[in-house]
Amino acid sequence: MGLSGRSLSGLLTSLLIFGTTLPVLARPEVLSTVTLQTVLQSSERSEKNRARDLYRHPAETLAFFGLRPKMTVIELWPGGGWYTEILAPLLAKKGHLIVTNFDPKSTDQDTATSVEKFNQKLAARPEVFGKVQVVTVNPPEQITLGQANSADMVLTFRNIHNWIIGGFESKVYAAAYRVLKKGGILGVEEHRAQPDTDAQKIANYGYVPEAYVIAAIEKAGFKFVGKSEINANPKDTKDYLGGVWTLPPTLSQGEKDQQKYLAIGESDRMTLKFVKP
């Protein structure tokens, strides 16, 4: 998708946050608009994944976080690899992409299946994923992401509710803080709950209060830089019996009220940026 008339270099060079202009990156270091658009429009991405750019706004989101081509970036809990498909080619020439995956020897069948599926995805396309490094995590016991002070950026997309449910949320933040260099960036995207809701309860529905996330990450030592409404969706009422999975792309209710949920689109999400001081 396009950038609505705004150049990516302009977005990366300065972003309007809370009404003030925040300088992010010097122009020579920014990610090329052409390079990013080439990756987003590549036939290497499935039509299904490209269709979700409408809701996930990858160009604007990565611009907000300040992605640069020479960075060492760690993507936490990549799921099916939707963002991995974008990050891997962007960082292949000058940077380094590290992704987490679970223990392939897990006794949990769902976890083992997920691990195998993701590993097969990487192995099937060495021209795209050949340089991607996989770090095994086994929460809550093992959440080491790499050597201390070795990464420029850590990214997480729609994972925090699972960390809360699992009871190891603070350990992930601590691991991210440890692996990042001074000045390193933690970029967060998460389904946003209604304000003042109970994080422990609403996490079971896939949502988390924004203020809760900011406070929890600041407690880990990070400095909150700012937020963006890039991934906001005011149509999301956040009151579905099936939680956030009622909405696309999951559409957990099947044919029931499907057109209604398609009209709403994907969830309302917070997009937050933190830095290791």
Side-chain angles (χ1 to χ4, degrees):
M1 61 180 283
L3 291 181
S4 304
R6 295 181 297 170
S7 71
L8 179 62
S9 60
L11 278 170
L12 285 164
T13 303
S14 77
L15 291 163
L16 192 64
I17 300 176
F18 294 145
T20 61
T21 300
L22 174 69
V24 179
L25 300 173
R27 186 173 296 275
E29 300 177 305
V30 300
L31 194 64
S32 163
T33 305
V34 174
T35 300
L36 180 50
Q37 290 302 320
T38 298
V39 170
L40 293 180
Q41 296 167 12
S42 171
S43 60
E44 293 290 339
R45 299 180 69 211
S46 69
E47 183 177 347
K48 181 179 179 181
N49 281 353
R50 282 187 279 121
R52 293 185 67 197
D53 290 354
L54 173 67
Y55 302 111
R56 302 203 67 173
H57 311 104
E60 295 88 342
T61 299
L62 294 177
F64 174 74
F65 291 147
L67 182 71
R68 290 181 288 171
K70 294 183 179 180
M71 281 182 163
T72 294
V73 178
I74 302 176
E75 183 187 3
L76 304 179
W77 277 249
W82 193 91
Y83 255 105
T84 310
E85 285 188 356
I86 299 170
L87 292 168
L90 289 177
L91 296 167
K93 290 186 178 180
K94 299 179 181 180
H96 185 201
L97 177 61
I98 302 167
V99 298
T100 64
N101 203 356
F102 301 109
D103 187 346
K105 297 180 182 179
S106 175
T107 56
D108 181 84
Q109 188 56 51
D110 288 341
T111 299
T113 300
S114 174
V115 171
E116 180 62 22
K117 185 176 181 180
F118 186 72
N119 286 342
Q120 287 177 353
K121 180 187 183 76
L122 299 187
R125 296 163 64 190
E127 72 283 2
V128 177
F129 303 116
K131 295 184 179 179
V132 175
Q133 178 184 347
V134 178
V135 172
T136 299
V137 293
N138 186 24
E141 295 83 7
Q142 173 60 31
I143 314 181
T144 301
L145 303 176
Q147 293 184 349
N149 309 306
S150 62
D152 300 295
M153 179 178 284
V154 174
L155 298 176
T156 173
F157 302 98
R158 312 181 186 215
N159 291 311
I160 293 177
H161 57 283
N162 288 320
W163 301 342
I164 293 172
I165 294 169
F168 52 83
E169 170 200 13
S170 62
K171 292 186 177 182
V172 177
Y173 301 145
Y177 189 90
R178 179 180 181 275
V179 79
L180 280 169
K181 301 172 184 177
K182 183 177 181 180
I185 296 164
L186 173 63
V188 173
E189 181 194 322
E190 174 61 299
H191 309 292
R192 179 165 49 193
Q194 299 289 4
D196 302 321
T197 51
D198 186 314
Q200 301 299 323
K201 293 180 180 179
I202 199 65
N204 291 297
Y205 293 89
Y207 294 96
V208 186
E210 185 175 284
Y212 172 90
V213 173
I214 294 172
I217 295 177
E218 286 184 322
K219 186 177 180 180
F222 286 96
K223 178 182 178 181
F224 179 48
V225 175
K227 59 181 284 188
S228 171
E229 293 301 301
I230 293 166
N231 294 301
N233 181 1
K235 295 180 181 179
D236 180 7
T237 56
K238 313 172 187 184
D239 57 358
Y240 323 108
L241 290 177
V244 72
W245 303 282
T246 303
L247 299 176
T250 306
L251 293 169
S252 63
Q253 304 306 300
E255 295 295 325
K256 182 180 179 181
D257 295 325
Q258 186 175 104
Q259 291 307 310
K260 169 187 173 181
Y261 300 129
L262 286 171
I264 292 172
E266 295 195 20
S267 68
D268 174 51
R269 298 181 306 283
M270 65 186 88
T271 308
L272 311 174
K273 183 175 180 179
F274 301 83
V275 66
K276 178 178 177 178

